[in-house]
Amino acid sequence: MTLTGSPSQAASDAAVEDFDSIKLYTLKNDQGMTVKVTNYGAIITSITVPDRDGNPGDVVLGYNNVEGYINAVDKPYFGAVVGRYGNRIAEGSFTLDGETYSLAVNNGENSLHGGIIGFDKVVWTVKSADDRSIELTYVAKDMEEGYPGNLDVSVTYTVTDENQLVIDYHATTDKATPVNLTQHTYFNLQGEGEGSILDHELMLNANEFTPVDQGLIPTGKTPNVEGTPFDFTSAKPIGRDIDDDHEQLTFGGGYDHNWVLNKSGEADAPTLAARVHDPASGRVLTVSTTEPGIQFYCGNFLDGRLQGKSGKTYGHRSGFCLETQHYPDSPNQPNFPSTILRPGDTYQTQTVFGFSTK
Ligand code: BGC
């Protein structure tokens, strides 16, 4: 990975002690798919897949140097693994086994994506890497960003000949702690920097979602999506209802919500969560996961100030994230599936991003 700019200035913003240890790795399959990954933030910097005519295109937003990621305006978390807790914890506080913990607060009064220096801003260790797969590990210390327990984390990215990117997450702890790991890649199936994603057609395999308050903290309710702009049970363009007069869309500035995934079959096998089709390029992204929820965020906070890896600016809603996860604020919401990992147990989840064309 090229390093430009001033590492010492960049280092003050992130937990980077040794810039020389930051490297870029390329995974590839026999079908021409390539995935680039850096051990800074376990970030996916590019995914190249063919369109319906066989032309390769890079379908994820990002930078071509590490300073881009470190210094990005508003910290969009392009391509990163977020943790220890992906999404928000209300007022950066939760009580576990009778003890109240105060987290680093970085989003109004709330804690977002693990705090000020989350897993997206640290240098991971490369445990193994070959053409097909890379395993990255990170040890988050007891009370890092306010979370209890030394947490051993491993994320493995693997490409298959079916044009899939398989992501396996593992974690163990020496004290009970909340854990919620996800991948924050922004996709644009037409190609990064190729404009808005509002014409992409999205299907979410979810009959319910978790509405939020103004700070984007779930209210605890899980209403049915039927008859609302949140109904993606049949594919529709992302932009079709996005500007409807609906309080939830006002709070999110568009879609920035968690959906409750419909589940059937084996709990530990990934099930279909989402499918996105870009009519222009013909590219299709299918997301499957073992997780119970998915955050669909459609780049509402992108505003054209960020310039990406090929020099194009990233405008409003020019990328979308499908973050497989447990529901936001679960440590404070007894009715949501638990995110607490205890010593002796293993956190183990899998998400698969599959690419095809039609
Ligand atoms: C959140 C957004 C946030 C974005 C940061 C998403 O996961 O839901 O509210 O602005 O991450 O890029």
Side-chain angles (χ1 to χ4, degrees), residues 244-257:
D244 279 14
D245 183 17
H246 191 290
E247 188 185 54
Q248 285 297 314
L249 291 171
T250 316
F251 290 164
Y255 298 110
D256 188 357
H257 294 78

Side-chain angles (χ1 to χ4, degrees), residues 74-77 87-88 107 112-113 184 186 216 256-257 295 297 301 321 323:
D74 292 345
K75 307 273 182 275
Y77 302 87
N87 215 283
R88 291 171 177 80
N107 186 249
L112 173 67
H113 294 334
H184 209 287
Y186 289 61
L216 301 185
D256 188 357
H257 294 78
Q295 185 85 9
Y297 166 63
F301 297 112
C321 302
E323 302 156 57

Side-chain angles (χ1 to χ4, degrees), residues 94-101 148 175-178 331 338 340-343:
F94 65 93
T95 301
L96 176 57
D97 297 339
E99 190 126 354
T100 299
Y101 294 93
K175 270 191 205 156
T177 181
S338 173
I340 304 304
L341 178 69
R342 295 191 177 273

Side-chain angles (χ1 to χ4, degrees), residues 135-159:
E135 180 180 3
L136 300 141
T137 59
Y138 178 65
V139 182
K141 298 210 171 52
D142 185 26
M143 297 314 284
E144 188 169 316
E145 301 297 299
Y147 288 93
N150 293 294
L151 187 74
D152 272 293
V153 188
S154 149
V155 174
T156 303
Y157 296 116
T158 305
V159 295

Side-chain angles (χ1 to χ4, degrees), residues 80-93:
V81 166
V82 293
R84 174 179 312 208
Y85 196 95
N87 215 283
R88 291 171 177 80
I89 295 183
E91 297 177 17
S93 173

Side-chain angles (χ1 to χ4, degrees), residues 13-181:
D13 286 11
V16 178
E17 281 158 16
D18 175 11
F19 267 71
D20 291 339
S21 66
I22 299 175
K23 301 269 186 307
L24 188 63
Y25 298 81
T26 303
L27 312 179
K28 50 183 178 243
N29 68 6
D30 292 339
Q31 312 299 315
M33 175 184 179
T34 62
V35 176
K36 292 188 180 177
V37 174
T38 171
N39 57 322
Y40 176 70
I43 290 172
I44 294 172
T45 66
S46 107
I47 299 179
T48 303
V49 284
D51 67 9
R52 68 159 78 78
D53 300 320
N55 301 313
D58 183 354
V59 295
V60 306
L61 278 54
Y63 299 103
N64 54 15
N65 60 60
V66 72
E67 279 75 11
Y69 289 96
I70 292 173
N71 297 324
V73 184
D74 292 345
K75 307 273 182 275
Y77 302 87
F78 283 159
V81 166
V82 293
R84 174 179 312 208
Y85 196 95
N87 215 283
R88 291 171 177 80
I89 295 183
E91 297 177 17
S93 173
F94 65 93
T95 301
L96 176 57
D97 297 339
E99 190 126 354
T100 299
Y101 294 93
S102 292
L103 305 173
V105 163
N106 61 337
N107 186 249
E109 59 181 9
N110 303 320
S111 185
L112 173 67
H113 294 334
I116 295 163
I117 302 181
F119 295 177
D120 59 295
K121 297 182 187 68
V122 298
V123 179
W124 293 58
T125 300
V126 178
K127 197 164 168 213
S128 63
D130 59 30
D131 278 1
R132 288 297 177 125
S133 191
I134 181 168
E135 180 180 3
L136 300 141
T137 59
Y138 178 65
V139 182
K141 298 210 171 52
D142 185 26
M143 297 314 284
E144 188 169 316
E145 301 297 299
Y147 288 93
N150 293 294
L151 187 74
D152 272 293
V153 188
S154 149
V155 174
T156 303
Y157 296 116
T158 305
V159 295
T160 72
D161 275 334
E162 288 73 48
N163 279 357
Q164 292 172 324
L165 173 62
V166 180
I167 310 171
D168 288 292
Y169 302 87
H170 285 89
T172 53
T173 185
D174 58 7
K175 270 191 205 156
T177 181
V179 184
N180 191 28
L181 304 176

